[in-house]
Amino acid sequence: MTTPVQAPGGQQLAESAGRRAIWLSVAALAMTFMLPLAGLVMAVFALIAGIRALPILRGAGRSTGVAVGGIVVSSLSLMLSAGATAMQLYLMDEYSVYQECMRGAGTVAAKETCFSQFRDAAAAKLPPGVIDVLGSVQP
């Protein structure tokens, strides 16, 4: 005789919902720094998972701290990735010229020239002081 498979209890479901929310938000934050557009999509999924985990955790009488943490981290990821994606789209032409220049650059001096041309073109397009805030971050 076989034992019937039982669905996970409310406690297990609540714990897995909370863990899912926090892990998705951490993955969204990591993706934001590697591929901002992918981080944007992942952050939306993480935010939805965190919001959906709240009533599940409350219904099971569990602490909602993990879900709230997931919501906070995914919101931060969403803002960072949206800003980075917007900046990439805004500077798309300048970045394309930079990539073409880097393909033809054979020396370190030529690569530095490409970067300084990119920085100057971006500074001309962005409001004053933004490049100073970004420092010497290379694309």
Side-chain angles (χ1 to χ4, degrees):
M1 175 146 234
T2 60
T3 308
V5 177
Q6 296 181 355
Q11 296 292 331
Q12 289 176 334
L13 181 64
E15 288 177 15
S16 67
R19 280 191 303 249
R20 184 180 317 113
I22 196 74
W23 279 112
L24 281 173
S25 65
V26 169
L29 188 60
M31 289 298 292
T32 295
F33 292 109
M34 292 185 287
L35 299 167
L37 187 58
L40 183 70
V41 173
M42 182 73 84
V44 170
F45 286 132
L47 189 61
I48 291 170
I51 291 170
R52 290 183 66 187
L54 284 175
I56 295 171
L57 288 166
R58 283 189 190 122
R62 305 289 294 188
S63 171
T64 58
V66 176
V68 170
I71 291 170
V72 169
V73 173
S74 62
S75 297
L76 176 67
S77 298
L78 188 64
M79 289 187 295
L80 288 173
S81 60
T85 301
M87 186 68 75
Q88 283 181 340
L89 291 175
Y90 186 66
L91 295 174
M92 186 170 20
D93 294 335
E94 288 78 8
Y95 191 66
S96 296
V97 170
Y98 170 75
Q99 286 178 327
E100 282 295 319
C101 182
M102 288 298 283
R103 280 192 204 114
T107 64
V108 173
K111 290 180 182 182
E112 288 175 1
T113 302
C114 292
F115 177 69
S116 65
Q117 289 173 351
F118 171 75
R119 187 180 57 226
D120 293 342
K125 194 168 186 179
L126 294 171
V130 173
I131 295 296
D132 296 332
V133 170
L134 295 176
S136 61
V137 175
Q138 293 191 7

PDB file of all heavy atoms in Angstrom, residues 17-41:
ATOM      1  N   ALA A  17       7.491  31.099   0.311  1.00  0.00           N
ATOM      2  CA  ALA A  17       7.113  32.365  -0.332  1.00  0.00           C
ATOM      3  C   ALA A  17       8.038  33.487   0.123  1.00  0.00           C
ATOM      4  O   ALA A  17       8.473  34.313  -0.680  1.00  0.00           O
ATOM      5  CB  ALA A  17       5.655  32.700  -0.018  1.00  0.00           C
ATOM      6  N   GLY A  18       8.346  33.511   1.409  1.00  0.00           N
ATOM      7  CA  GLY A  18       9.258  34.533   1.919  1.00  0.00           C
ATOM      8  C   GLY A  18      10.656  34.377   1.368  1.00  0.00           C
ATOM      9  O   GLY A  18      11.301  35.355   0.974  1.00  0.00           O
ATOM     10  N   ARG A  19      11.149  33.144   1.338  1.00  0.00           N
ATOM     11  CA  ARG A  19      12.491  32.892   0.788  1.00  0.00           C
ATOM     12  C   ARG A  19      12.545  33.236  -0.694  1.00  0.00           C
ATOM     13  O   ARG A  19      13.535  33.788  -1.171  1.00  0.00           O
ATOM     14  CB  ARG A  19      12.887  31.437   1.002  1.00  0.00           C
ATOM     15  CG  ARG A  19      13.379  31.145   2.398  1.00  0.00           C
ATOM     16  CD  ARG A  19      13.995  29.768   2.439  1.00  0.00           C
ATOM     17  NE  ARG A  19      13.047  28.764   1.995  1.00  0.00           N
ATOM     18  CZ  ARG A  19      12.495  27.851   2.777  1.00  0.00           C
ATOM     19  NH1 ARG A  19      12.807  27.793   4.044  1.00  0.00           N
ATOM     20  NH2 ARG A  19      11.629  26.983   2.296  1.00  0.00           N
ATOM     21  N   ARG A  20      11.495  32.897  -1.420  1.00  0.00           N
ATOM     22  CA  ARG A  20      11.452  33.207  -2.854  1.00  0.00           C
ATOM     23  C   ARG A  20      11.546  34.712  -3.063  1.00  0.00           C
ATOM     24  O   ARG A  20      12.266  35.190  -3.948  1.00  0.00           O
ATOM     25  CB  ARG A  20      10.164  32.671  -3.468  1.00  0.00           C
ATOM     26  CG  ARG A  20      10.069  32.857  -4.962  1.00  0.00           C
ATOM     27  CD  ARG A  20       8.772  32.306  -5.551  1.00  0.00           C
ATOM     28  NE  ARG A  20       8.386  31.018  -5.028  1.00  0.00           N
ATOM     29  CZ  ARG A  20       7.300  30.812  -4.278  1.00  0.00           C
ATOM     30  NH1 ARG A  20       6.500  31.809  -3.980  1.00  0.00           N
ATOM     31  NH2 ARG A  20       7.002  29.608  -3.832  1.00  0.00           N
ATOM     32  N   ALA A  21      10.844  35.480  -2.255  1.00  0.00           N
ATOM     33  CA  ALA A  21      10.853  36.937  -2.400  1.00  0.00           C
ATOM     34  C   ALA A  21      12.244  37.506  -2.170  1.00  0.00           C
ATOM     35  O   ALA A  21      12.722  38.349  -2.945  1.00  0.00           O
ATOM     36  CB  ALA A  21       9.858  37.563  -1.428  1.00  0.00           C
ATOM     37  N   ILE A  22      12.916  37.047  -1.126  1.00  0.00           N
ATOM     38  CA  ILE A  22      14.237  37.608  -0.831  1.00  0.00           C
ATOM     39  C   ILE A  22      15.278  37.153  -1.852  1.00  0.00           C
ATOM     40  O   ILE A  22      16.124  37.934  -2.281  1.00  0.00           O
ATOM     41  CB  ILE A  22      14.673  37.306   0.622  1.00  0.00           C
ATOM     42  CG1 ILE A  22      15.845  38.210   1.041  1.00  0.00           C
ATOM     43  CG2 ILE A  22      15.059  35.866   0.810  1.00  0.00           C
ATOM     44  CD1 ILE A  22      15.481  39.611   1.300  1.00  0.00           C
ATOM     45  N   TRP A  23      15.218  35.892  -2.291  1.00  0.00           N
ATOM     46  CA  TRP A  23      16.190  35.411  -3.274  1.00  0.00           C
ATOM     47  C   TRP A  23      16.004  36.092  -4.630  1.00  0.00           C
ATOM     48  O   TRP A  23      16.990  36.417  -5.298  1.00  0.00           O
ATOM     49  CB  TRP A  23      16.123  33.892  -3.423  1.00  0.00           C
ATOM     50  CG  TRP A  23      16.869  33.191  -2.332  1.00  0.00           C
ATOM     51  CD1 TRP A  23      16.334  32.434  -1.332  1.00  0.00           C
ATOM     52  CD2 TRP A  23      18.273  33.191  -2.107  1.00  0.00           C
ATOM     53  NE1 TRP A  23      17.327  31.980  -0.505  1.00  0.00           N
ATOM     54  CE2 TRP A  23      18.536  32.428  -0.961  1.00  0.00           C
ATOM     55  CE3 TRP A  23      19.349  33.769  -2.761  1.00  0.00           C
ATOM     56  CZ2 TRP A  23      19.814  32.230  -0.452  1.00  0.00           C
ATOM     57  CZ3 TRP A  23      20.625  33.570  -2.261  1.00  0.00           C
ATOM     58  CH2 TRP A  23      20.838  32.807  -1.119  1.00  0.00           C
ATOM     59  N   LEU A  24      14.771  36.292  -5.035  1.00  0.00           N
ATOM     60  CA  LEU A  24      14.538  36.996  -6.299  1.00  0.00           C
ATOM     61  C   LEU A  24      15.034  38.438  -6.223  1.00  0.00           C
ATOM     62  O   LEU A  24      15.567  38.969  -7.191  1.00  0.00           O
ATOM     63  CB  LEU A  24      13.054  36.966  -6.670  1.00  0.00           C
ATOM     64  CG  LEU A  24      12.537  35.689  -7.297  1.00  0.00           C
ATOM     65  CD1 LEU A  24      11.020  35.739  -7.447  1.00  0.00           C
ATOM     66  CD2 LEU A  24      13.179  35.456  -8.643  1.00  0.00           C
ATOM     67  N   SER A  25      14.847  39.071  -5.070  1.00  0.00           N
ATOM     68  CA  SER A  25      15.304  40.458  -4.943  1.00  0.00           C
ATOM     69  C   SER A  25      16.829  40.547  -4.958  1.00  0.00           C
ATOM     70  O   SER A  25      17.394  41.468  -5.543  1.00  0.00           O
ATOM     71  CB  SER A  25      14.735  41.092  -3.678  1.00  0.00           C
ATOM     72  OG  SER A  25      15.231  40.461  -2.530  1.00  0.00           O
ATOM     73  N   VAL A  26      17.506  39.593  -4.330  1.00  0.00           N
ATOM     74  CA  VAL A  26      18.971  39.579  -4.363  1.00  0.00           C
ATOM     75  C   VAL A  26      19.458  39.317  -5.794  1.00  0.00           C
ATOM     76  O   VAL A  26      20.412  39.951  -6.270  1.00  0.00           O
ATOM     77  CB  VAL A  26      19.529  38.537  -3.369  1.00  0.00           C
ATOM     78  CG1 VAL A  26      21.018  38.321  -3.571  1.00  0.00           C
ATOM     79  CG2 VAL A  26      19.249  38.971  -1.939  1.00  0.00           C
ATOM     80  N   ALA A  27      18.795  38.406  -6.489  1.00  0.00           N
ATOM     81  CA  ALA A  27      19.157  38.137  -7.887  1.00  0.00           C
ATOM     82  C   ALA A  27      18.918  39.375  -8.754  1.00  0.00           C
ATOM     83  O   ALA A  27      19.716  39.674  -9.656  1.00  0.00           O
ATOM     84  CB  ALA A  27      18.349  36.955  -8.421  1.00  0.00           C
ATOM     85  N   ALA A  28      17.840  40.103  -8.479  1.00  0.00           N
ATOM     86  CA  ALA A  28      17.561  41.324  -9.236  1.00  0.00           C
ATOM     87  C   ALA A  28      18.645  42.364  -9.003  1.00  0.00           C
ATOM     88  O   ALA A  28      19.084  43.046  -9.938  1.00  0.00           O
ATOM     89  CB  ALA A  28      16.197  41.884  -8.839  1.00  0.00           C
ATOM     90  N   LEU A  29      19.102  42.479  -7.764  1.00  0.00           N
ATOM     91  CA  LEU A  29      20.163  43.437  -7.466  1.00  0.00           C
ATOM     92  C   LEU A  29      21.460  43.058  -8.182  1.00  0.00           C
ATOM     93  O   LEU A  29      22.146  43.913  -8.743  1.00  0.00           O
ATOM     94  CB  LEU A  29      20.388  43.513  -5.953  1.00  0.00           C
ATOM     95  CG  LEU A  29      21.320  44.604  -5.458  1.00  0.00           C
ATOM     96  CD1 LEU A  29      20.807  45.985  -5.845  1.00  0.00           C
ATOM     97  CD2 LEU A  29      21.474  44.510  -3.954  1.00  0.00           C
ATOM     98  N   ALA A  30      21.788  41.777  -8.194  1.00  0.00           N
ATOM     99  CA  ALA A  30      22.990  41.324  -8.895  1.00  0.00           C
ATOM    100  C   ALA A  30      22.862  41.559 -10.398  1.00  0.00           C
ATOM    101  O   ALA A  30      23.813  42.023 -11.049  1.00  0.00           O
ATOM    102  CB  ALA A  30      23.234  39.842  -8.607  1.00  0.00           C
ATOM    103  N   MET A  31      21.703  41.260 -10.952  1.00  0.00           N
ATOM    104  CA  MET A  31      21.490  41.462 -12.390  1.00  0.00           C
ATOM    105  C   MET A  31      21.538  42.943 -12.761  1.00  0.00           C
ATOM    106  O   MET A  31      21.946  43.292 -13.873  1.00  0.00           O
ATOM    107  CB  MET A  31      20.142  40.873 -12.822  1.00  0.00           C
ATOM    108  CG  MET A  31      20.100  39.369 -12.832  1.00  0.00           C
ATOM    109  SD  MET A  31      21.259  38.632 -13.978  1.00  0.00           S
ATOM    110  CE  MET A  31      20.567  39.136 -15.525  1.00  0.00           C
ATOM    111  N   THR A  32      21.141  43.801 -11.846  1.00  0.00           N
ATOM    112  CA  THR A  32      21.163  45.231 -12.110  1.00  0.00           C
ATOM    113  C   THR A  32      22.573  45.707 -12.418  1.00  0.00           C
ATOM    114  O   THR A  32      22.777  46.541 -13.296  1.00  0.00           O
ATOM    115  CB  THR A  32      20.599  46.001 -10.896  1.00  0.00           C
ATOM    116  OG1 THR A  32      19.224  45.655 -10.745  1.00  0.00           O
ATOM    117  CG2 THR A  32      20.717  47.489 -11.065  1.00  0.00           C
ATOM    118  N   PHE A  33      23.565  45.153 -11.722  1.00  0.00           N
ATOM    119  CA  PHE A  33      24.946  45.583 -11.943  1.00  0.00           C
ATOM    120  C   PHE A  33      25.568  44.922 -13.163  1.00  0.00           C
ATOM    121  O   PHE A  33      26.540  45.435 -13.709  1.00  0.00           O
ATOM    122  CB  PHE A  33      25.786  45.320 -10.692  1.00  0.00           C
ATOM    123  CG  PHE A  33      25.385  46.198  -9.550  1.00  0.00           C
ATOM    124  CD1 PHE A  33      24.729  45.679  -8.458  1.00  0.00           C
ATOM    125  CD2 PHE A  33      25.626  47.558  -9.588  1.00  0.00           C
ATOM    126  CE1 PHE A  33      24.347  46.491  -7.409  1.00  0.00           C
ATOM    127  CE2 PHE A  33      25.246  48.386  -8.551  1.00  0.00           C
ATOM    128  CZ  PHE A  33      24.609  47.849  -7.452  1.00  0.00           C
ATOM    129  N   MET A  34      25.022  43.777 -13.599  1.00  0.00           N
ATOM    130  CA  MET A  34      25.576  43.112 -14.780  1.00  0.00           C
ATOM    131  C   MET A  34      24.846  43.550 -16.055  1.00  0.00           C
ATOM    132  O   MET A  34      25.480  43.962 -17.014  1.00  0.00           O
ATOM    133  CB  MET A  34      25.471  41.598 -14.617  1.00  0.00           C
ATOM    134  CG  MET A  34      26.384  41.061 -13.534  1.00  0.00           C
ATOM    135  SD  MET A  34      26.376  39.277 -13.432  1.00  0.00           S
ATOM    136  CE  MET A  34      24.777  38.977 -12.717  1.00  0.00           C
ATOM    137  N   LEU A  35      23.544  43.420 -16.058  1.00  0.00           N
ATOM    138  CA  LEU A  35      22.703  43.785 -17.204  1.00  0.00           C
ATOM    139  C   LEU A  35      21.504  44.573 -16.681  1.00  0.00           C
ATOM    140  O   LEU A  35      20.520  43.980 -16.226  1.00  0.00           O
ATOM    141  CB  LEU A  35      22.209  42.533 -17.934  1.00  0.00           C
ATOM    142  CG  LEU A  35      23.271  41.621 -18.534  1.00  0.00           C
ATOM    143  CD1 LEU A  35      22.663  40.291 -18.933  1.00  0.00           C
ATOM    144  CD2 LEU A  35      23.902  42.297 -19.728  1.00  0.00           C
ATOM    145  N   PRO A  36      21.558  45.896 -16.724  1.00  0.00           N
ATOM    146  CA  PRO A  36      20.499  46.694 -16.104  1.00  0.00           C
ATOM    147  C   PRO A  36      19.088  46.394 -16.617  1.00  0.00           C
ATOM    148  O   PRO A  36      18.142  46.378 -15.828  1.00  0.00           O
ATOM    149  CB  PRO A  36      20.903  48.131 -16.427  1.00  0.00           C
ATOM    150  CG  PRO A  36      22.366  48.076 -16.600  1.00  0.00           C
ATOM    151  CD  PRO A  36      22.648  46.729 -17.205  1.00  0.00           C
ATOM    152  N   LEU A  37      18.944  46.117 -17.897  1.00  0.00           N
ATOM    153  CA  LEU A  37      17.607  45.831 -18.415  1.00  0.00           C
ATOM    154  C   LEU A  37      17.072  44.516 -17.851  1.00  0.00           C
ATOM    155  O   LEU A  37      15.904  44.409 -17.476  1.00  0.00           O
ATOM    156  CB  LEU A  37      17.624  45.798 -19.945  1.00  0.00           C
ATOM    157  CG  LEU A  37      16.265  45.683 -20.627  1.00  0.00           C
ATOM    158  CD1 LEU A  37      15.360  46.842 -20.217  1.00  0.00           C
ATOM    159  CD2 LEU A  37      16.431  45.661 -22.127  1.00  0.00           C
ATOM    160  N   ALA A  38      17.937  43.503 -17.752  1.00  0.00           N
ATOM    161  CA  ALA A  38      17.527  42.237 -17.138  1.00  0.00           C
ATOM    162  C   ALA A  38      17.246  42.429 -15.656  1.00  0.00           C
ATOM    163  O   ALA A  38      16.330  41.815 -15.102  1.00  0.00           O
ATOM    164  CB  ALA A  38      18.607  41.184 -17.343  1.00  0.00           C
ATOM    165  N   GLY A  39      18.020  43.283 -15.006  1.00  0.00           N
ATOM    166  CA  GLY A  39      17.766  43.598 -13.602  1.00  0.00           C
ATOM    167  C   GLY A  39      16.432  44.286 -13.407  1.00  0.00           C
ATOM    168  O   GLY A  39      15.746  44.064 -12.398  1.00  0.00           O
ATOM    169  N   LEU A  40      16.041  45.098 -14.369  1.00  0.00           N
ATOM    170  CA  LEU A  40      14.746  45.769 -14.313  1.00  0.00           C
ATOM    171  C   LEU A  40      13.610  44.755 -14.341  1.00  0.00           C
ATOM    172  O   LEU A  40      12.690  44.806 -13.521  1.00  0.00           O
ATOM    173  CB  LEU A  40      14.627  46.751 -15.489  1.00  0.00           C
ATOM    174  CG  LEU A  40      13.375  47.599 -15.583  1.00  0.00           C
ATOM    175  CD1 LEU A  40      13.363  48.628 -14.474  1.00  0.00           C
ATOM    176  CD2 LEU A  40      13.323  48.294 -16.924  1.00  0.00           C
ATOM    177  N   VAL A  41      13.696  43.803 -15.253  1.00  0.00           N
ATOM    178  CA  VAL A  41      12.663  42.759 -15.360  1.00  0.00           C
ATOM    179  C   VAL A  41      12.651  41.883 -14.111  1.00  0.00           C
ATOM    180  O   VAL A  41      11.586  41.602 -13.546  1.00  0.00           O
ATOM    181  CB  VAL A  41      12.895  41.911 -16.637  1.00  0.00           C
ATOM    182  CG1 VAL A  41      11.952  40.730 -16.683  1.00  0.00           C
ATOM    183  CG2 VAL A  41      12.739  42.772 -17.878  1.00  0.00           C
TER     184      VAL A  41
END
